[in-house]
Amino acid sequence: TLEASDEMFGGNPCDHIQGDVETYLRVEHRCINVPMSLSCYQDDPAYNPLLSGVATSKSNMTIQKCLSLCRSQRYKYAGVVNRHGCRCGNQLQDAASRRLPITDCTATCAGDDLQLCGGSSQKMEIFEASIGACGGDLNATDGILYSPDFPGPYQNNQNCTWNIQVGSANVVRISSELLDLSTDDSLAVVEERSSQTVVTVVNGTVTEYTSVSGNVSVQFRAGSRGAQQTPGFILRYEGVAHCGAIAVVDEVTSVSPSHGGNFAIGQQVTISCKNGQNVTVECQGNEQFN
């Protein structure tokens, strides 16, 4: 929360108000590093196209329209250029030598002046076309999930499921980088634990989740109140090594957390013993409890 001051605004913006009035300007601003653009590049569509797939130009072009087009054609990359243009492809031709500062791609999109669609003279900003997809199978050891049609508003009545698999040697850690949903929506992590389905709702209180296995699902259900204008969500996931489980046997009467599964590096576990003692251990980087 910011309040007007000489240091912030170069002068009080309320000075023009006449009379004996107590007033101030308060600005609430949140900055989020949105991890979506691969960078800005110089294209040469006539002689050496950066992306050699489908291309189009529309008077209402936005980033999400370009992503949707390229994704529907099963391309890996989508590029916005010259405010109106969209180009798709599976490889970036000579990308290293054609990379530009991201500040060279600052032309507003023809369909949304709050978005940037490349730059003049064939400067193109590249994205992975999977951004904004409604669900999918994710097998990499780390990645990012975006709400449907991101960075635009998601539509009503969508049901999206992402299945994440990071291998048996890891558990899945999910954290939210952006979480701004309608009260009519639902975002949850679903995991099978010992023949029991555990559903954890991701909201303003629960913003991080660590699984007990290498397989989880993220489910998003959009409400039925028309197209949502909230920003949506960005979730980052990663596979994290673990120390295994701690069994309730012999002198151990209980373990907390009591999920019965694996504990990730950095997690603490409290063990209650028959002799009345409580012992807290932590899973270390060497995949052993201290």
Side-chain angles (χ1 to χ4, degrees), residues 69-89:
L69 169 67
C70 297
R71 190 167 58 245
S72 68
Q73 299 292 319
R74 300 188 180 277
Y75 286 105
K76 183 177 181 179
Y77 300 111
V80 286
V81 59
N82 297 341
R83 300 190 66 236
H84 304 87
C86 173
R87 297 165 189 168
C88 310

Side-chain angles (χ1 to χ4, degrees), residues 138-145 164-166 173 236-239:
L138 307 174
N139 300 313
T141 55
D142 59 82
I144 302 172
L145 284 68
I164 303 173
Q165 295 183 329
V166 295
R173 180 169 291 158
R236 184 182 295 273
Y237 79 88
E238 60 176 335

Side-chain angles (χ1 to χ4, degrees), residues 113-137:
D113 59 8
L114 296 180
Q115 295 183 13
L116 303 179
C117 282
S120 60
S121 303
Q122 304 297 333
K123 294 180 177 66
M124 181 163 54
E125 188 167 5
I126 306 293
F127 304 86
E128 290 189 0
S130 60
I131 294 172
C134 180
D137 295 325

Side-chain angles (χ1 to χ4, degrees), residues 2-254:
L2 311 176
E3 294 187 11
S5 69
D6 291 341
E7 293 81 7
M8 187 184 310
F9 294 102
N12 189 338
C14 302
D15 277 346
H16 68 281
I17 298 177
Q18 302 296 319
D20 187 13
V21 178
E22 291 186 4
T23 184
Y24 63 91
L25 174 67
R26 173 167 293 179
V27 178
E28 293 189 1
H29 184 71
R30 177 176 53 173
C31 293
I32 298 173
N33 180 23
V34 179
M36 52 185 296
S37 171
L38 297 180
S39 194
C40 180
Y41 295 87
Q42 181 63 60
D43 197 13
D44 184 2
Y47 299 102
N48 188 19
L50 188 65
L51 296 173
S52 58
V54 170
T56 188
S57 180
K58 294 182 179 297
S59 60
N60 62 346
M61 182 59 66
T62 62
I63 295 174
Q64 63 267 26
K65 282 185 172 65
C66 184
L67 290 169
S68 179
L69 169 67
C70 297
R71 190 167 58 245
S72 68
Q73 299 292 319
R74 300 188 180 277
Y75 286 105
K76 183 177 181 179
Y77 300 111
V80 286
V81 59
N82 297 341
R83 300 190 66 236
H84 304 87
C86 173
R87 297 165 189 168
C88 310
N90 289 318
Q91 290 183 326
L92 302 180
Q93 185 68 29
D94 300 328
S97 62
R98 303 164 74 176
R99 185 166 181 167
L100 301 171
I102 194 64
T103 50
D104 283 3
C105 285
T106 55
T108 57
C109 295
D112 187 345
D113 59 8
L114 296 180
Q115 295 183 13
L116 303 179
C117 282
S120 60
S121 303
Q122 304 297 333
K123 294 180 177 66
M124 181 163 54
E125 188 167 5
I126 306 293
F127 304 86
E128 290 189 0
S130 60
I131 294 172
C134 180
D137 295 325
L138 307 174
N139 300 313
T141 55
D142 59 82
I144 302 172
L145 284 68
Y146 299 86
S147 51
D149 297 321
F150 193 90
Y154 51 91
Q155 300 300 308
N156 62 311
N157 294 323
Q158 292 198 79
N159 295 322
C160 309
T161 299
W162 294 265
N163 299 308
I164 303 173
Q165 295 183 329
V166 295
S168 60
N170 297 314
V171 296
V172 184
R173 180 169 291 158
I174 300 173
S175 58
S176 63
E177 299 201 3
L178 171 65
L179 190 59
D180 194 347
L181 303 175
S182 166
T183 56
D184 205 28
D185 305 327
S186 171
L187 180 64
V189 180
V190 180
E191 183 177 13
E192 299 293 335
R193 296 182 180 178
S194 302
S195 301
Q196 179 184 11
T197 301
V198 177
V199 179
T200 302
V201 176
V202 181
N203 52 34
T205 302
V206 179
T207 59
E208 184 173 293
Y209 177 88
T210 302
S211 70
V212 301
S213 69
N215 305 315
V216 300
S217 295
V218 175
Q219 297 181 354
F220 174 64
R221 303 290 182 263
S224 58
R225 297 184 300 164
Q228 306 300 316
Q229 297 302 316
T230 54
F233 63 83
I234 302 174
L235 301 181
R236 184 182 295 273
Y237 79 88
E238 60 176 335
V240 181
H242 60 79
C243 294
I246 297 178
V248 181
V249 294
D250 300 329
E251 298 300 312
V252 177
T253 59
S254 66

